[in-house]
Amino acid sequence: MIEAKLFSEIFEEFEKAETKADKMAVLRKYWHPKLQEFLEYAFNPNIHFDVEPPKTWRHAIEPAGLNVTYLDLEVSKLYRFIKNHPHRPVELATDEAKKTKLLKVVLESLHPSESELLLKLIKKNLGIKGLTVKLIQDTIAGK
């Protein structure tokens, strides 16, 4: 059975991997549809987030693994913050304050490392050393 890890923990392990092969091995070890969806949001140039992050929020104090929610559970709901997504409710497309408030609730429910990762995703800059489209494609292709 694969050990459950937060996305932030997976990417921390990924960054510690020294070679391309080691980095690919980390991705393969934890690969699942939610991670793939997260990476699609991060690297697909046709996906644009249009939510303004809240200026402040309360960071969750629960230890990793005991949070209200996790990024792998929230990733399927991120369409609420994607410009022109066909499933996004109309009120979120037109009400910036409501969208920001919803994002604040999500950020406060995640472990701080995952809330920071979500903000980086929204900015389309994960800042994860060595994580590229080519490496992801090679990992999926089994190269």
Side-chain angles (χ1 to χ4, degrees):
M1 184 166 173
I2 295 175
E3 174 187 359
K5 285 195 172 207
L6 302 177
F7 280 2
S8 56
E9 293 172 324
I10 293 169
F11 293 130
E12 185 177 307
E13 184 177 332
F14 175 89
E15 283 191 307
K16 288 179 182 176
E18 294 183 11
T19 67
K20 177 182 176 182
D22 293 341
K23 290 180 182 301
M24 290 171 65
V26 171
L27 289 180
R28 282 190 191 107
K29 179 178 178 181
Y30 299 108
W31 195 258
H32 57 81
K34 298 300 181 180
L35 181 61
Q36 183 175 354
E37 186 175 2
F38 179 87
L39 293 171
E40 175 75 14
Y41 288 156
F43 289 103
N44 185 327
N46 297 318
I47 295 174
H48 303 282
F49 291 93
D50 68 347
V51 60
E52 189 64 36
K55 296 196 185 328
T56 61
W57 71 91
R58 178 193 64 81
H59 289 279
I61 59 171
E62 298 82 11
L66 297 177
N67 297 91
V68 175
T69 191
Y70 303 95
L71 200 45
D72 68 332
L73 299 174
E74 291 297 321
V75 75
S76 62
K77 302 173 194 171
L78 293 180
Y79 66 87
R80 301 175 295 186
F81 308 118
I82 296 174
K83 183 177 182 176
N84 298 324
H85 194 285
H87 296 107
R88 181 163 76 170
V90 173
E91 65 271 12
L92 290 179
T94 58
D95 190 337
E96 295 301 318
K98 190 172 196 171
K99 208 171 9 180
T100 298
K101 186 176 181 179
L102 179 59
L103 178 58
K104 180 178 180 177
V105 170
V106 173
L107 292 171
E108 290 180 345
S109 301
L110 294 169
H111 185 269
S113 64
E114 288 207 309
S115 63
E116 294 301 323
L117 187 57
L118 176 55
L119 290 173
K120 288 177 180 181
L121 174 68
I122 289 169
K123 294 175 186 174
K124 300 286 275 196
N125 183 7
L126 296 178
I128 299 169
K129 185 180 173 189
L131 186 62
T132 64
V133 171
K134 174 83 169 104
L135 183 104
I136 295 166
Q137 290 170 338
D138 289 349
T139 300
I140 293 169
K143 293 182 180 179

